[in-house]
Amino acid sequence: MIKIGDILRGGYEGKEVSIRGWVYRCRSSGKITFTVVRDSSGIIQCISKEGEIPDDLYEQIKGLTIESSLELTGTVSKDTRGVTGYEIKVKGGKIYQRNESFPISRDKSEEFLLDIRHLWLRSREFTAVLKIRATAFNAFSEFFNREGFYNVQGPMMVSAQTEGGSTLFEVPFFDQKAYLTQSSQFYLEALIFSLEKVYTIAPSFRAEKSRTRRHLTEYWHAEGEVAWIGNEEMMQIEERMIEYIVSAVLRDNAEDLALIGRNVEPLKKVKAPFPRMKYRELIEKAQSWGLNMKYMDDLGADEERAITVHFDKPVFVTHYPQELKAFYHRPDPESPDEILCHDLLAPEGCGEIIGGGERIWELEILEERMRSMNIDPKAYSWYLDLRRYGSVPHSGFGLGLDRLIWWVCGLDSIRDAIPFPRTIRRITP
Ligand code: 4AD
Ligand code: MG
């Protein structure tokens, strides 16, 4: 048994091979049937001729429907008329299942395609996106493993929010209330006291009430936390990490990027260092570009799109006013109304893919900050303990992996970056 992709790389002309897969297309003309077969690695045209193979097999092949599963044996030849430059002259084979007509065709609505996502995933475009996604997940871990980080795991069911109450999912937990985690950050913070440099890839949950092109209610969150470093050093690690992931995709997924029609020129420009800009400067720039924005406005999807079309690399926005961000961000000692944080905005109109920064590590400052935001310190007693016993300066970040894939693949919606999207109105399939 051989992968179709191996045949397409050449060297099998004149040889007999067996392939296994699914019918991608088929048509018969006279005594010849053309079956395009798909497997995980590619597609190839297979030609069966009546009289040259057993009659009952020919009848079966002739009657196949799209997505029927089969195995075919035959001789490879180079043929520029075949869809992918090669074809197989069929000698024998076996049909695993001839199915009813496949429910997906070109003219289906977006909602219908989401309803049958479990079948739509088989499309060549989706397969390409999923291969790129696999590269990105692996490259993320590979980068941090090489940098001496430890791969750790936090819980998904938690007792307190990290990123604000409006997007919390509540779940019953015996006789208590629990939440699905919005971020593993606080657990990573606890783990730096033993491991110093840690990362995790885990789901995060946000009860996002709006339907946007870039929000999921369950998404894959790649987070890191590092002892002894500040905001600027954290950004330096992140820009190298993004460059590493994008280069891995360009190197390993050239065919997949071509198949989904992604222009790779903008991706080739993703090289560290990335520009940095304080929030205050960004607002001034935005005003000079004619955007209706003032200091203290949060950046929504529309603002970020309008801003990032002006950049051809990802850009870090730092020093947000503290009111715009969660309570744990460390105020800049030189300008205490601003915090030592960063968002990384992806170019081409995509916007935020990373949020991170330096954490408040002194107990008194953290307690004071919580009081001023009406947050009950009791709910965070274990988190405050981290500031009681050997506290150290530290920084971290969270990268939305689905957002990263959405940008790298140039997709319309983040829903097309994940196999089984969860959004405000969708929990199946
Ligand atoms: O900016 P956020 O909310 O930051 C945190 O959760 C920090 N605790 C991370 C940390 O410092 N460890 O989320 C981080 C990233 C965002 O930049 C975005 O890429 C992604 O998570 N994200 C979402 N992705 C898809 N759907 C959503 N609803 C998302 N919300 C955040
Ligand atoms: Mg954010």
Side-chain angles (χ1 to χ4, degrees), residues 3 25 33 45 73 108 118 159 167 201 217 225 232 235 249-250 274 332 338 345 362 386 406:
K3 286 274 149 250
R25 261 205 305 265
T33 294
Q45 174 159 285
T73 298
K108 299 298 185 195
H118 51 293
S159 59
T167 62
I201 296 182
T217 53
E225 198 73 28
E232 171 56 33
M235 289 190 281
V249 170
L250 287 171
F274 301 157
D332 184 351
E338 295 174 332
L345 310 186
E362 294 113 318
L386 305 177
W406 171 60

Side-chain angles (χ1 to χ4, degrees), residues 163 206 325 342-343 352 354-356 403:
E163 302 300 318
R206 307 279 169 109
K325 296 283 177 187
H342 58 267
D343 278 359
E352 182 191 341
I354 291 181
R403 288 242 182 120

Side-chain angles (χ1 to χ4, degrees), residues 91-363:
K91 292 184 173 166
K94 172 178 168 183
I95 311 305
Y96 284 85
Q97 185 186 39
R98 177 196 183 277
N99 44 244
E100 301 289 297
S101 94
F102 197 60
I104 300 180
S105 56
R106 291 261 163 220
D107 56 348
K108 299 298 185 195
S109 76
E110 203 179 330
E111 275 311 304
F112 175 79
L113 290 174
L114 283 162
D115 286 341
I116 52 159
R117 177 54 75 94
H118 51 293
L119 299 178
W120 186 30
L121 287 175
R122 303 178 185 193
S123 74
R124 295 190 78 208
E125 290 77 9
F126 223 112
T127 304
V129 170
L130 293 177
K131 288 179 181 174
I132 293 167
R133 186 176 164 98
T135 302
F137 272 59
N138 289 338
F140 177 85
S141 301
E142 210 172 85
F143 176 83
F144 284 106
N145 292 339
R146 287 188 185 182
E147 298 270 325
F149 282 58
Y150 291 94
N151 183 354
V152 298
Q153 294 77 37
M156 298 294 101
M157 287 194 281
V158 298
S159 59
Q161 57 177 21
T162 60
E163 302 300 318
S166 67
T167 62
L168 269 184
F169 269 113
E170 206 176 293
V171 287
F173 191 78
F174 307 107
D175 53 354
Q176 294 180 49
K177 233 192 237 175
Y179 307 101
L180 296 178
T181 190
Q182 296 171 303
S183 159
S184 300
Q185 176 189 328
F186 292 177
Y187 297 92
L188 299 196
E189 285 187 63
L191 287 159
I192 60 157
F193 291 88
S194 45
L195 298 168
E196 298 189 48
K197 302 201 281 188
V198 295
Y199 76 90
T200 195
I201 296 182
S204 278
F205 303 86
R206 307 279 169 109
E208 301 283 355
K209 308 243 166 35
S210 56
R211 257 168 80 89
T212 75
R213 297 182 322 132
R214 60 179 205 165
H215 285 95
L216 295 166
T217 53
E218 175 182 310
Y219 72 95
W220 283 84
H221 206 171
E223 297 182 274
E225 198 73 28
V226 191
W228 316 109
I229 71 167
N231 197 40
E232 171 56 33
E233 291 154 289
M234 192 68 249
M235 289 190 281
Q236 288 171 15
I237 296 175
E238 288 164 35
E239 60 195 357
R240 286 193 291 113
M241 176 259 296
I242 293 290
E243 178 182 328
Y244 188 90
I245 298 174
V246 171
S247 315
V249 170
L250 287 171
R251 184 192 63 220
D252 297 346
N253 298 94
E255 285 175 16
D256 302 309
L257 290 164
L259 199 145
I260 58 176
R262 174 62 159 128
N263 174 10
V264 292
E265 292 313 315
L267 296 178
K268 289 184 184 159
K269 296 189 188 135
V270 180
K271 298 279 178 214
F274 301 157
R276 287 136 169 76
M277 188 181 284
K278 289 190 175 178
Y279 169 87
R280 184 182 296 281
E281 292 168 58
L282 181 75
I283 296 295
E284 282 161 17
K285 272 238 157 56
Q287 288 166 346
S288 78
W289 292 324
L291 299 174
N292 180 19
M293 289 193 71
K294 54 184 190 315
Y295 195 76
M296 281 307 225
D297 283 353
D298 205 353
L299 306 183
D302 292 341
E303 290 79 19
E304 288 184 7
R305 188 173 320 119
I307 289 164
T308 56
V309 294
H310 294 274
F311 292 92
D312 64 357
K313 268 191 190 188
V315 53
F316 282 113
V317 182
T318 66
H319 296 78
Y320 280 74
Q322 58 178 22
E323 288 80 356
L324 292 184
K325 296 283 177 187
F327 68 90
Y328 50 73
H329 290 288
R330 180 164 182 240
D332 184 351
E334 279 155 32
S335 166
D337 291 340
E338 295 174 332
I339 50 175
L340 295 169
C341 69
H342 58 267
D343 278 359
L344 182 67
L345 310 186
E348 301 175 80
C350 284
E352 182 191 341
I353 56 169
I354 291 181
E358 204 168 321
R359 322 304 190 187
I360 299 176
W361 62 282
E362 294 113 318
L363 181 64

